[in-house]
Amino acid sequence: MILIPAIDLKDGQCVRLRQGLMEDATIFSEDPLAMGRHWQNLGAERLHLVDLNGAFEGKPENEVAISQIVDAIGENVPVQVGGGIRDLVTIERYIKRGVAFVIIGTAAVRKPQFLKEACSAFPGHIIVGLDGKEGKVAVDGWAAVTEDRVIDLAQKFQDYGVEGVIYTDIGRDGMMTGANIESTQELASSLDIPVIASGGISSIDDILRLKELEAHGVTAAITGRAIYELAFDFKEANRVAKYG
């Protein structure tokens, strides 16, 4: 299992939200490129970039910052990008730029055919992001909760050919309250594709508990606020994620 640093972009700055609320953002850096290089220097094997403005607006809004990071380190550290990706043209533009994986969230739920077409057009590059609240899928930057169950949609999208699923418990995201181990294990056990855990990681103990789910298919965990607030050392946490 690897530990993936998150760089959440809002108005060109690196921020973290609490429970996905744009009005509850903490700015951690005004230089996302420097932050990307920072995590690269500490041994990150992948970066997770989220265009928060894009997620709410429905179209990319932080492409300049994303492009700078990918141009600088994308050849050495694979970059996955999500937020505001609603059409094949955007996906193609990101992949041509050097983005390794494109994350489709709201659009996958609202327009499953789009996700199917994306998997067909860009095999090996599509990850689906499913954000859950009490087992149901949230969309539109977490502004709305659907009646769809996370597990049901994940199984459906697995058949489409997605490379993996990023599962975020939005009730815990940015709250430093610990990962939702039970729901993550339940989801991973129901799938044959990798699951990337996200939301609430606050300690080395959380990482050790997620590490125990590796046999169920949890291959990575995304961490954000904890590493920015120095709740634990990233290099040590990444070593624990890889080797236990």
Side-chain angles (χ1 to χ4, degrees):
M1 189 177 84
I2 63 171
L3 198 60
I4 305 175
I7 297 179
D8 289 359
L9 299 165
K10 180 176 182 284
D11 304 329
Q13 300 174 319
C14 178
V15 307
R16 291 300 292 171
L17 307 184
R18 294 181 187 275
Q19 295 182 318
L21 298 174
M22 288 287 272
E23 63 271 21
D24 194 357
T26 303
I27 298 173
F28 285 105
S29 174
E30 296 183 355
D31 190 344
L33 174 56
M35 190 59 67
R37 285 178 167 151
H38 171 71
W39 299 126
Q40 178 189 28
N41 292 337
L42 289 181
E45 297 179 36
R46 189 185 294 191
L47 287 182
H48 177 76
L49 307 187
V50 179
D51 183 342
L52 293 173
N53 299 103
F56 282 88
E57 296 297 328
K59 58 185 176 64
E61 296 287 347
N62 286 279
E63 280 195 75
V64 171
I66 291 169
S67 295
Q68 289 175 341
I69 293 171
V70 173
D71 288 347
I73 68 175
E75 287 189 8
N76 300 311
V77 181
V79 174
Q80 59 190 39
V81 175
I85 298 170
R86 304 286 196 270
D87 56 65
L88 298 179
V89 173
T90 300
I91 296 173
E92 182 176 25
R93 188 167 66 248
Y94 273 136
I95 292 175
K96 284 185 174 180
R97 169 61 69 180
V99 170
F101 303 100
V102 172
I103 304 161
I104 303 177
T106 293
V109 180
R110 298 290 196 202
K111 299 179 180 179
Q113 184 62 30
F114 165 60
L115 178 64
K116 183 180 291 187
E117 291 171 357
C119 289
S120 177
F122 307 102
H125 292 284
I126 306 300
I127 294 175
V128 69
L130 293 177
D131 305 325
K133 183 175 183 179
E134 298 178 356
K136 299 295 180 65
V137 175
V139 294
D140 299 326
W142 301 351
V145 179
T146 72
E147 290 301 312
D148 296 302
R149 294 176 67 239
V150 171
I151 287 180
D152 293 340
L153 284 188
Q155 291 174 336
K156 176 180 178 180
F157 297 156
Q158 173 178 256
D159 294 337
Y160 289 1
V162 298
E163 283 297 293
V165 174
I166 296 174
Y167 169 61
T168 304
D169 182 323
I170 66 175
R172 299 181 184 231
D173 191 70
M175 299 302 290
M176 301 281 287
T177 54
N180 189 331
I181 302 298
E182 294 76 14
S183 293
T184 303
Q185 178 176 342
E186 183 182 12
L187 176 63
S189 297
S190 73
L191 301 173
D192 297 319
I193 56 176
V195 169
I196 299 174
S198 175
I201 294 174
S202 60
S203 66
I204 295 288
D205 183 60
D206 284 328
I207 296 166
L208 283 169
R209 294 176 69 200
L210 287 169
K211 174 72 173 175
E212 293 176 356
L213 303 185
E214 196 167 16
H216 296 276
V218 176
T219 61
I222 295 169
T223 179
R225 183 174 291 273
I227 53 174
Y228 289 99
E229 294 187 348
L230 304 179
F232 50 74
D233 178 75
F234 176 78
K235 288 184 72 173
E236 171 62 15
N238 196 34
R239 185 196 65 76
V240 169
K242 293 177 69 174
Y243 305 112

